[in-house]
Amino acid sequence: MRLSHYFLPTLKENPGEAQIVSHRLMLRTGMIFQASSGIYAWLPMGRRVLRKIEQIVREEQDRAGAQEILMPTIQSADLWRESGRYDAYGEEMLRIADRHEREMLYSPTAEELVTDIARKHIKSYRDVPKMMYQIQWKFRDEIRPRFGVMRGREFLMKDCYSFDLDYEGALVSYRKMLEAYIKTFSRMGLTAIPVKADSGAIGGDLSQEFQVLAATGESLIFYDRALDEIVRQGGVVDVDRLMSLYAAEEGLHDPHICKVPQDQLKTARGIEVGHIFYFATKYSDPFKASVVGKNGESITLHMGSYGIGVSRLVGALIEANHDENGIIWPEAVAPFTVGLLNLKPGDGKCDALCEDIYHKLLTQKVEVLYDDRNERAGAKFANMDLIGLPWQIRVGARTLETGKIEIKYRRTGEIQELSLESALNYLKERVGA
Amino acid sequence: MRLSHYFLPTLKENPGEAQIVSHRLMLRTGMIFQASSGIYAWLPMGRRVLRKIEQIVREEQDRAGAQEILMPTIQSADLWRESGRYDAYGEEMLRIADRHEREMLYSPTAEELVTDIARKHIKSYRDVPKMMYQIQWKFRDEIRPRFGVMRGREFLMKDCYSFDLDYEGALVSYRKMLEAYIKTFSRMGLTAIPVKADSGAIGGDLSQEFQVLAATGESLIFYDRALDEIVRQGGVVDVDRLMSLYAAEEGLHDPHICKVPQDQLKTARGIEVGHIFYFATKYSDPFKASVVGKNGESITLHMGSYGIGVSRLVGALIEANHDENGIIWPEAVAPFTVGLLNLKPGDGKCDALCEDIYHKLLTQKVEVLYDDRNERAGAKFANMDLIGLPWQIRVGARTLETGKIEIKYRRTGEIQELSLESALNYLKERVGA
């Protein structure tokens, strides 16, 4: 993509309304556009990051054996009366009357509808276990939306639901999702600690939240430092070990129960990006979602639900990956892998060299944003650091003299001077393109 | 995917409420689940088809130079008052009051919001041309929703918007989209004729609808038969020729103006799946969306908008591709390319052979649905014809005797007996995997 053509409306000044760094940087880099209070449009660079995150989430859900579905955003109030949540939910639920004055609502989560699907279509013990997920927009009418996409009203969520015959089956599903979550966040370059969680409005007992470590996090968490390693490496996850290690949010942390030696207990701030929990027959009971067992008996389904805040993750990623100059994207979720800077635009030789590099990268399937604009080198450096692509290739007067181009790695700031060929080979190896 | 594990709740009987074949077949094959009147959940097979369509649409939009964004579903009424459409839209608009009693609505289209983005971020003549698109859920509160996803209330739409300095620029954008649409529908195996269209509620003069030919189509269209070939082949599109050829819907067809010789004028039924149009400064005027020109002058942007009914296309594809036994998916949008039928489940040799074929296909990156269920051969044949995967591989008693497997091509019903190796090679060539 050529930057001269790309719709990337960066701001020179810090927007006044943004209180936290991710919100500020998302507005400054033109990733989002505020449409209403707590409601954002995603501009091209924001959309690209969102799609990369969606895709990683989808791949790991699929790998865990969950099947993708898509439920509507507008749902009937009647369905939510069956669970009792229509009245319980309060003002956070966006309630709507359609043209026939039927009561509808904008789905804030989807236990009711997925249980309705299950009771109508999952009939036999042979039909379970089943896990179904969707990546769909949700709405919660926060009284005071803030922090940009971190606490917006309209937000993108991955929600998965499991159906099993009993507690033992549900535990297997739960553990699969736990593992999928570790892999998902690890692929994004995040350290996300699963901590014991309050089951909240939905209820249940087996319940963990995933907290992304970031100095700016809203919660304080206490955890066994052995967790760090497990969650970072992803790969083969030792679920037994993982579940045996202590981790709790401040409100649930009890020094009397916590057996982790003091020198092994870490304290850190975290941002909640996911939540997994088992809630037994909380919904299947009122919905009469049951299957026929081997001997003709009726078995009420045991369910769990598993959420990831997909749009929130964009904010969390930035909170965990930035410096004073801007964003530092982990490679797996970067909008582009390489930023190519033409430092002498208008110079025939420099333009030709940049075009050549641009096309070589495209041929190698490297995602590249080519800054071909007629701007000063200093402005281009600052802009590229701000938007935070992992790699920068700088081509200018010196390149024409020495034949060498500069490659900068945004995360460390390290700059290497290499011949064009070595540079492309180096990137090929590092980027794996 | 193993069918024993897949959530594919097919129905034995035709659902009574479905009046048209696509609705009937989508319910029977468990692609969708009706959640409310005109509102559907997409179950795994439906979701897969929807994603394939989305991806083709996205690729052709990107290729045409449009950039993907994503606008929120819930928008402020104030924005829609600026264009005058808040009052004009009538009861089809789903109106909502949030917890602070602010007037909001569920976006039925997005000219207002995209023009708001443009006026705030497109400032200079150097920033145009720009085309931006999204693939996002919309809501229109149809008084009598029917025909399944063909006329639902919540539906998935690709909407693209172009911004240019003048009519000439806008015409270039319009022609790019026209070409992108021809390629998009042609890749899906559809014959979609661009016909002269009424500009409808949005207004303008350069306006064409894309009508997919299907015997069950709701509109009658008249067109030069030379159009058939151009739109079917996709490839390099001769836009001048395309725009010179006559095509009009019944209401706009005028035999006195139509100069196509009688023997070259075709009449057919069509289903509208897309609409492209130029509407000049209809929105940019009231929104004051203008840029600064070369000489410092203010230039009001010329806009066009370009829609594709993505969820509707699933219905249209089935209307145009089915027989009395079920759906016949074009390969590019098929949920799976191959259905593998184990006709002797439980037989050790047959199971092992099927597993071997299943894994070979997966290794070749062929999307395969493996019917490993304990069902009669007849039921498996009927089910596989019903869900309409392009290719069937049948493995049974005869295979164990002769070493040959049967390959059936769903569209023609043609069956070939081949050795396993020849069969895989044949598929590899035909499917291009």
Side-chain angles (χ1 to χ4, degrees):
Chain A
M1 179 61 69
R2 289 167 200 276
L3 191 45
S4 60
H5 172 69
Y6 200 43
F7 184 53
L8 186 74
T10 49
L11 306 176
K12 294 231 166 55
E13 307 282 316
N14 270 325
E17 74 268 31
Q19 296 170 46
I20 60 167
V21 66
S22 60
H23 189 192
R24 209 152 54 225
L25 285 171
M26 289 179 75
L27 287 169
R28 275 203 62 189
T29 57
M31 289 178 68
I32 51 171
F33 173 92
Q34 182 171 335
S36 309
S37 168
I39 302 181
Y40 296 87
W42 295 76
L43 303 186
M45 199 170 79
R47 182 71 186 108
R48 281 181 84 97
V49 174
L50 201 58
R51 285 199 66 215
K52 299 237 164 157
I53 295 174
E54 274 178 59
Q55 191 51 30
I56 291 174
V57 169
R58 174 176 289 123
E59 286 170 15
E60 295 302 332
Q61 292 291 297
D62 289 344
R63 194 200 308 266
Q67 299 179 37
E68 188 172 3
I69 61 173
L70 193 58
M71 291 179 272
T73 58
I74 303 297
Q75 302 180 359
S76 157
D78 288 342
L79 204 56
W80 287 70
R81 287 209 175 86
E82 286 193 61
S83 67
R85 284 209 289 183
Y86 190 66
D87 294 323
Y89 224 96
E91 291 205 88
E92 269 196 20
M93 177 177 276
L94 191 67
R95 295 158 203 264
I96 305 164
D98 74 6
R99 69 190 295 166
H100 301 296
E101 296 299 329
R102 278 177 299 220
E103 291 173 279
M104 312 290 285
L105 56 93
Y106 199 120
S107 166
T109 168
E111 281 80 7
E112 281 76 1
L113 183 49
V114 83
T115 309
D116 189 35
I117 293 172
R119 73 174 158 188
K120 286 178 182 148
H121 286 310
I122 299 184
K123 299 289 196 180
S124 155
Y125 70 95
R126 282 185 304 258
D127 298 337
V128 291
K130 279 277 180 300
M131 295 198 285
M132 288 183 261
Y133 75 98
Q134 64 169 350
I135 300 175
Q136 176 63 300
W137 292 89
K138 309 285 190 300
F139 201 96
R140 286 185 197 161
D141 203 357
E142 298 267 356
I143 188 160
R144 223 156 37 97
R146 57 201 160 132
F147 305 149
V149 300
M150 298 279 281
R151 192 171 301 175
R153 294 199 288 168
E154 188 169 328
F155 58 98
L156 188 59
M157 187 167 135
K158 184 283 299 179
D159 40 327
C160 178
Y161 305 90
S162 62
F163 301 91
D164 286 278
L165 291 183
D166 48 28
Y167 172 79
E168 286 68 33
L171 186 59
V172 172
S173 298
Y174 184 93
R175 289 166 60 107
K176 279 187 187 163
M177 274 297 137
L178 175 61
E179 186 175 357
Y181 275 43
I182 299 291
K183 289 182 174 162
T184 300
F185 299 126
S186 146
R187 280 182 63 185
M188 293 178 195
L190 291 170
T191 305
I193 306 285
V195 306
K196 192 167 65 174
D198 199 355
S199 53
I202 295 184
D205 46 79
L206 201 50
S207 173
Q208 286 168 289
E209 278 175 12
F210 283 78
Q211 297 276 353
V212 164
L213 300 190
T216 53
E218 76 250 292
S219 1
L220 190 64
I221 60 171
F222 297 82
Y223 64 97
D224 192 319
R225 74 171 180 224
L227 269 170
D228 265 6
E229 252 177 72
I230 299 184
V231 303
R232 265 191 205 132
Q233 75 186 31
V236 181
V237 180
D238 182 343
V239 177
D240 283 331
R241 176 110 205 282
L242 195 67
M243 290 184 75
S244 73
L245 293 170
Y246 184 88
E249 219 189 312
E250 195 172 17
L252 294 174
H253 173 57
D254 186 342
H256 301 295
I257 291 174
C258 172
K259 286 179 189 139
V260 185
Q262 202 56 38
D263 63 336
Q264 201 166 318
L265 186 70
K266 286 185 84 167
T267 309
R269 300 207 74 85
I271 299 167
E272 189 197 334
V273 292
H275 194 170
I276 58 178
F277 49 115
Y278 162 68
F279 44 74
T281 58
K282 182 178 160 70
Y283 297 93
S284 40
D285 265 335
F287 277 76
K288 299 194 173 43
S290 58
V291 295
V292 175
K294 258 185 191 142
N295 306 310
E297 76 281 24
S298 172
I299 303 170
T300 302
L301 290 167
H302 282 240
M303 294 175 56
S305 91
Y306 315 90
I308 290 181
V310 175
S311 49
R312 175 170 245 249
L313 263 173
V314 182
L317 275 158
I318 296 175
E319 293 291 335
N321 295 280
H322 69 273
D323 62 16
E324 66 282 9
N325 297 320
I327 305 172
I328 306 169
W329 289 115
E331 289 177 33
V333 295
F336 299 89
T337 310
V338 172
L340 171 62
L341 289 80
N342 182 341
L343 304 177
K344 276 192 96 179
D347 175 289
K349 280 190 184 162
C350 199
D351 289 352
L353 185 54
C354 284
E355 288 291 330
D356 181 44
I357 296 172
Y358 181 55
H359 286 103
K360 282 195 168 117
L361 288 169
L362 291 180
T363 307
Q364 287 184 12
K365 306 247 183 249
V366 175
E367 292 178 297
V368 54
L369 183 65
Y370 172 25
D371 189 347
D372 58 341
R373 296 169 311 155
N374 190 20
E375 289 277 354
R376 288 179 308 106
K380 289 192 174 189
F381 291 151
N383 185 62
M384 205 50 93
D385 278 355
L386 177 67
I387 65 177
L389 307 184
W391 299 92
Q392 298 174 13
I393 295 183
R394 298 160 163 192
V395 181
R398 273 169 58 86
T399 315
L400 300 177
E401 282 167 32
T402 64
K404 301 218 164 159
I405 60 178
E406 283 183 357
I407 296 199
K408 175 174 167 177
Y409 187 51
R410 173 69 177 90
R411 188 167 290 277
T412 58
E414 188 198 353
I415 295 176
Q416 296 179 66
E417 273 202 303
L418 295 172
S419 71
L420 174 56
E421 205 193 324
S422 315
L424 291 176
N425 282 335
Y426 179 78
L427 270 185
K428 204 172 174 178
E429 262 172 46
R430 285 296 303 258
V431 176
Chain B
M1 179 62 69
R2 288 167 200 276
L3 191 46
S4 60
H5 171 70
Y6 200 43
F7 184 53
L8 186 74
T10 49
L11 307 177
K12 294 232 166 58
E13 307 283 315
N14 269 326
E17 74 269 31
Q19 297 170 43
I20 60 169
V21 67
S22 60
H23 189 193
R24 208 154 53 225
L25 285 172
M26 287 179 77
L27 287 171
R28 274 203 63 190
T29 58
M31 290 177 68
I32 51 170
F33 173 91
Q34 182 171 336
S36 310
S37 168
I39 302 181
Y40 296 87
W42 296 76
L43 303 186
M45 200 169 78
R47 182 71 186 107
R48 281 180 84 97
V49 174
L50 200 60
R51 285 200 66 215
K52 299 239 164 152
I53 295 174
E54 273 178 60
Q55 190 52 29
I56 292 174
V57 169
R58 174 175 288 123
E59 285 169 15
E60 295 303 331
Q61 291 291 296
D62 289 343
R63 195 200 306 265
Q67 298 177 37
E68 188 173 3
I69 61 173
L70 193 58
M71 290 180 273
T73 58
I74 301 299
Q75 302 182 358
S76 157
D78 288 342
L79 204 57
W80 287 70
R81 287 210 174 86
E82 286 193 61
S83 67
R85 285 209 289 184
Y86 189 66
D87 294 324
Y89 225 97
E91 291 204 271
E92 267 195 21
M93 177 177 277
L94 190 67
R95 295 158 205 262
I96 305 164
D98 74 6
R99 68 189 295 166
H100 301 297
E101 296 300 328
R102 279 177 297 221
E103 289 172 281
M104 313 290 286
L105 56 92
Y106 199 120
S107 168
T109 168
E111 282 80 7
E112 280 76 0
L113 184 49
V114 84
T115 309
D116 189 37
I117 294 172
R119 74 174 156 186
K120 287 180 181 146
H121 285 309
I122 299 183
K123 299 290 195 180
S124 156
Y125 70 95
R126 282 185 304 258
D127 297 336
V128 291
K130 280 277 180 300
M131 294 197 286
M132 286 182 262
Y133 76 97
Q134 65 171 349
I135 300 174
Q136 177 63 302
W137 291 88
K138 308 284 190 298
F139 202 96
R140 285 184 199 161
D141 203 358
E142 298 268 354
I143 188 161
R144 224 158 33 98
R146 55 200 162 135
F147 305 149
V149 301
M150 298 279 282
R151 193 171 298 177
R153 294 198 289 169
E154 187 167 330
F155 59 97
L156 188 59
M157 187 168 136
K158 185 283 297 180
D159 40 328
C160 177
Y161 305 90
S162 63
F163 301 91
D164 285 278
L165 291 182
D166 48 29
Y167 173 79
E168 286 69 32
L171 187 59
V172 173
S173 298
Y174 183 94
R175 290 167 59 107
K176 279 186 186 165
M177 275 296 138
L178 176 61
E179 187 175 355
Y181 276 43
I182 299 290
K183 288 182 174 163
T184 301
F185 299 126
S186 146
R187 280 182 63 185
M188 293 177 195
L190 291 170
T191 305
I193 305 284
V195 307
K196 192 166 65 174
D198 199 353
S199 52
I202 295 185
D205 46 79
L206 201 50
S207 174
Q208 285 167 290
E209 278 175 10
F210 283 77
Q211 297 275 355
V212 164
L213 299 191
T216 53
E218 76 250 293
S219 2
L220 189 65
I221 61 172
F222 298 82
Y223 64 97
D224 191 320
R225 72 168 180 225
L227 270 170
D228 264 7
E229 251 177 72
I230 300 185
V231 303
R232 265 193 205 132
Q233 75 186 32
V236 181
V237 180
D238 183 342
V239 177
D240 284 331
R241 177 111 205 282
L242 194 66
M243 289 184 75
S244 74
L245 293 170
Y246 185 89
E249 218 190 314
E250 194 172 18
L252 294 173
H253 174 57
D254 185 343
H256 302 294
I257 291 174
C258 174
K259 287 178 191 139
V260 185
Q262 203 55 39
D263 63 337
Q264 200 167 319
L265 187 69
K266 285 185 84 165
T267 309
R269 302 206 73 86
I271 299 168
E272 189 199 334
V273 293
H275 193 170
I276 59 178
F277 50 116
Y278 162 69
F279 44 75
T281 59
K282 181 178 160 70
Y283 296 93
S284 41
D285 265 336
F287 277 77
K288 299 192 173 46
S290 58
V291 295
V292 175
K294 256 183 193 145
N295 306 309
E297 76 280 23
S298 173
I299 303 169
T300 301
L301 290 167
H302 283 240
M303 294 174 56
S305 88
Y306 315 90
I308 290 181
V310 175
S311 47
R312 175 170 247 249
L313 263 173
V314 181
L317 276 158
I318 296 174
E319 293 292 335
N321 295 280
H322 68 271
D323 62 14
E324 67 283 7
N325 297 321
I327 304 172
I328 306 170
W329 289 113
E331 290 178 31
V333 295
F336 299 89
T337 310
V338 173
L340 171 63
L341 290 79
N342 182 342
L343 304 179
K344 277 191 96 179
D347 176 289
K349 279 188 184 163
C350 199
D351 289 352
L353 185 54
C354 284
E355 288 292 328
D356 181 46
I357 297 172
Y358 182 55
H359 286 103
K360 282 193 169 118
L361 289 168
L362 291 181
T363 307
Q364 286 184 12
K365 306 246 183 248
V366 175
E367 293 179 297
V368 53
L369 182 65
Y370 171 25
D371 190 348
D372 58 341
R373 296 170 310 156
N374 189 20
E375 290 276 354
R376 288 180 307 106
K380 290 192 174 189
F381 291 150
N383 184 63
M384 204 52 92
D385 278 354
L386 176 69
I387 66 177
L389 307 184
W391 299 91
Q392 297 174 12
I393 295 183
R394 299 162 163 191
V395 181
R398 271 170 60 85
T399 315
L400 300 178
E401 282 166 31
T402 64
K404 300 216 164 162
I405 61 179
E406 283 183 358
I407 296 199
K408 174 173 168 177
Y409 187 50
R410 172 71 177 88
R411 188 166 291 278
T412 58
E414 189 198 352
I415 295 177
Q416 296 182 66
E417 273 202 302
L418 295 172
S419 72
L420 175 56
E421 205 191 326
S422 313
L424 291 176
N425 282 335
Y426 179 78
L427 270 185
K428 204 172 176 177
E429 262 170 47
R430 286 293 306 257
V431 176

